[in-house]
Amino acid sequence: MLRIRGTTYHFRRIVPPALRSALNQREIWVSLKTGYQNEARKRASLLHARTTELFDETSRALAEGQERQAVPHVRDALKDLHRLLESATALEAVPLLVSRPRPRPQNMRKASAVSTASPTKPQPLLLSQALTRFVLKNPHTSADTRKATQRAVELFLQAFGDAPVSIIGGEKAGAFRDLLFSLPVSLGKRKSSLTLAEEADRAKEDERPTLSGKSVKNHMMRLSALWNQLLQRELVTKNPWTGWSFEAGSKTIRRGWNTQELRTLMTGDWPSNSVPESTFQLVTMIGAYSGLRLGEICHLRTEDLQTIDGIPCFVIQPHPEDGWSPKTEAGTRTVPVHSKLIEAGFLKLKETVDGPYLIPGLNMSKDGVRGTAFGRSFSTMKTHLGLPAEITFHSFRHSVSTQLRNASADIREIWIDRLLGHEATHKSQGTSTYLSGITTANLKQTVEAISYPDGIFKKGWN
């Protein structure tokens, strides 16, 4: 009944021999329009029930000698079956394909001239529909939130199939949490035809590292945020994604780069053809000398390079035109450009790039995120060079934070928080007021405390 061709499942059912002449075919074979096994089984089960009804309808019509009247109707129903799946319509939202009444003998009269139409029962809101309605089509949702929420929902759908949000409770949430902890960290970084359960089994057999508590927590938090919207609209009665512990699973403690690891990285071969090596050099040097997040660097626009109080600065701010915004409220900030970047010719970029973005050589993904290909290539390069899992591009923020907190006593903690876009360590009203009054000169002094051994970034990008 269920067959897979390439990455897509198909429904196949043999037509009973007695009905083949009436239906004019030996079997029914239709694409199920999904690569998820659980979803394919659910659709195939519905189709099995509906084709059974189709066969029964045809058999009764033939037994009553009504082939001339019944067969055209049955063939129409069979065509509807093909059209339904070819248009990838949700099967749950479509009435029975053969729900039309059987042709009646000519001498039969209707029992009543007036029929009372029963009200249409509203269809339950599916998880996939909730994702589209409240996240993907929400103009106030940032690109990062859309991408992360879609990834979490897709993992759930791949594991358990689509279902009404009203019936997804603690049992399914707990099963999803447990599954996430057993999935390999490499999931999604390579093509695979395995189901999530098979991925988990292989990771266990091969003793591969699995998702950290932080990664699992992030997926659960995305679903929890979606459920909070559903709660407000009274589409669900509780949020099953809250209150879980995330201590289980393997943990990777992130840290900053040491000098040897940086030398290895900057002298290695850049593996990407889609992102120029000069872009790798540029983005990496900006991260090292500013502590900016990768997304903040990749989404910099030409207007984000400004001179404030006579000092060249990055201005990290929301860009509603492409749906991007800083990760937190504190992420909206001003970061002076380090003198090493100025010496390398960074300020000339504003005059030479084509288009609105400051960093050349990067494309926007279909999810509205700029720099996705860079992130994948950076991870691939790091793995090929044998660099440990504890260091990632985000480790440049660790390096900057560590350097600044160990630097001269003239650099204050609150300046570092402001530079990195962290919430202030001390939450008093006085601190909040002072935070807004930090001068660009103080931030410039903080940035210039970042330093690396000479020659590490010798390639440059010009």
Side-chain angles (χ1 to χ4, degrees):
M1 185 174 70
L2 198 61
R3 298 289 186 271
I4 187 167
R5 289 285 179 86
T7 59
T8 304
Y9 284 94
H10 293 71
F11 171 83
R12 181 194 182 199
R13 188 170 186 190
I14 302 298
V15 175
L19 307 182
R20 290 174 185 173
S21 60
L23 297 179
N24 196 30
Q25 60 188 96
R26 298 175 59 85
E27 65 179 25
I28 296 173
W29 184 295
V30 191
S31 170
L32 293 172
K33 299 292 183 180
T34 181
Y36 296 146
Q37 189 177 51
N38 287 344
E39 179 64 19
R41 285 175 176 169
K42 182 172 65 171
R43 296 184 183 186
S45 178
L46 289 171
L47 289 179
H48 187 275
R50 293 179 185 185
T51 50
T52 296
E53 184 178 351
L54 175 67
F55 295 158
D56 290 344
E57 184 80 12
T58 308
S59 296
R60 285 195 297 268
L62 293 176
E64 295 173 5
Q66 300 178 36
E67 179 177 358
R68 182 172 298 178
Q69 295 175 321
V71 169
H73 155 64
V74 172
R75 287 179 180 171
D76 287 343
L78 188 57
K79 291 177 182 177
D80 288 343
L81 174 67
H82 286 265
R83 283 196 294 268
L84 171 69
L85 288 175
E86 288 302 319
S87 62
T89 303
L91 298 178
E92 296 86 344
V94 180
L96 287 177
L97 293 173
V98 215
S99 59
R100 286 173 273 183
R102 290 186 290 118
R104 302 181 178 211
Q106 296 296 324
N107 59 353
M108 290 187 66
R109 296 181 180 181
K110 294 182 180 179
S112 173
V114 180
S115 63
T116 304
S118 59
T120 303
K121 185 177 180 181
Q123 294 294 325
L125 179 69
L126 300 177
L127 176 56
S128 59
Q129 295 169 337
L131 169 69
T132 300
R133 179 178 170 186
F134 300 116
V135 180
L136 301 184
K137 291 188 176 180
N138 186 344
H140 303 295
T141 303
S142 70
D144 287 343
T145 298
R146 283 197 295 269
K147 179 182 179 183
T149 306
Q150 184 173 18
R151 176 58 175 161
V153 171
E154 286 178 346
L155 284 173
F156 183 92
L157 296 179
Q158 190 174 351
F160 304 110
D162 213 350
V165 292
S166 57
I167 68 170
I168 299 176
E171 181 182 0
K172 272 288 187 289
F176 185 55
R177 169 193 172 277
D178 296 341
L179 174 64
L180 289 175
F181 271 122
S182 64
L183 294 176
V185 295
S186 60
L187 185 71
K189 297 179 181 178
R190 53 180 174 77
K191 291 184 178 180
S192 174
S193 59
L194 300 179
T195 65
L196 292 185
E198 291 169 342
E199 290 279 9
D201 290 341
R202 175 170 291 185
K204 183 177 181 180
E205 291 174 4
D206 298 344
E207 297 184 352
R208 298 180 183 178
T210 54
L211 295 182
S212 66
K214 181 179 179 181
S215 296
V216 175
K217 181 180 180 180
N218 286 340
H219 286 310
M220 299 282 280
M221 285 179 63
R222 296 298 180 181
L223 290 166
S224 178
L226 173 58
W227 247 254
N228 284 338
Q229 294 191 61
L230 301 176
L231 270 174
Q232 288 180 324
R233 298 171 185 270
E234 297 184 352
L235 295 171
V236 294
T237 58
K238 62 180 180 179
N239 186 343
W241 305 100
T242 61
W244 295 97
S245 168
F246 302 101
E247 295 301 321
S250 61
K251 237 182 202 179
T252 301
I253 306 299
R254 305 299 181 191
R255 60 170 175 80
W257 298 82
N258 63 39
T259 300
Q260 183 54 50
E261 290 164 346
L262 260 183
R263 290 192 189 279
T264 300
L265 176 72
M266 299 313 297
T267 55
D269 293 327
W270 178 243
S272 176
N273 293 323
S274 59
V275 179
E277 184 175 7
S278 58
T279 299
F280 157 70
Q281 299 286 340
L282 172 60
V283 173
T284 302
M285 194 170 178
I286 294 174
Y289 280 106
S290 68
L292 292 179
R293 298 178 176 92
L294 178 59
E296 293 171 342
I297 297 172
C298 295
H299 283 269
L300 283 171
R301 289 174 169 260
T302 52
E303 65 263 30
D304 296 333
L305 185 56
Q306 302 178 16
T307 299
I308 300 175
D309 298 332
I311 299 172
C313 296
F314 299 110
V315 178
I316 310 303
Q317 58 187 334
H319 289 294
E321 59 270 29
D322 61 10
W324 185 85
S325 62
K327 189 174 181 180
T328 64
E329 184 177 350
T332 299
R333 64 198 190 279
T334 298
V335 179
V337 180
H338 197 286
S339 59
K340 290 293 184 180
L341 294 174
I342 297 175
E343 291 172 11
F346 176 77
L347 299 183
K348 298 176 184 176
L349 275 176
K350 191 172 182 177
E351 303 169 0
T352 59
V353 295
D354 295 325
Y357 292 101
L358 197 58
I359 308 300
L362 298 174
N363 295 320
M364 190 76 74
S365 73
K366 62 181 180 180
D367 301 318
V369 179
R370 196 166 189 264
T372 299
F374 178 94
R376 284 198 300 263
S377 298
F378 188 92
S379 178
T380 299
M381 179 184 186
K382 188 176 69 70
T383 301
H384 287 171
L385 293 174
L387 293 169
E390 302 92 68
I391 49 175
T392 63
F393 190 91
H394 196 78
S395 294
F396 286 115
R397 283 175 64 79
H398 290 277
S399 296
V400 168
S401 178
T402 300
Q403 283 193 39
L404 296 181
R405 295 179 201 283
N406 289 317
S408 167
D410 293 337
I411 296 177
R412 302 183 184 180
E413 187 87 7
I414 199 168
W415 299 354
I416 300 172
D417 288 336
R418 182 59 180 270
L419 192 77
L420 294 175
H422 289 156
E423 296 291 344
T425 307
H426 307 289
K427 298 279 187 175
S428 67
Q429 179 61 40
T431 296
S432 301
T433 302
Y434 180 60
L435 190 62
S436 63
I438 297 175
T439 66
T440 311
N442 287 336
L443 294 176
K444 176 66 172 176
Q445 176 187 345
T446 307
V447 162
E448 291 300 327
I450 304 170
S451 65
Y452 298 92
D454 292 338
I456 281 188
F457 300 101
K458 60 184 177 181
K459 284 187 179 180
W461 62 83
N462 296 326

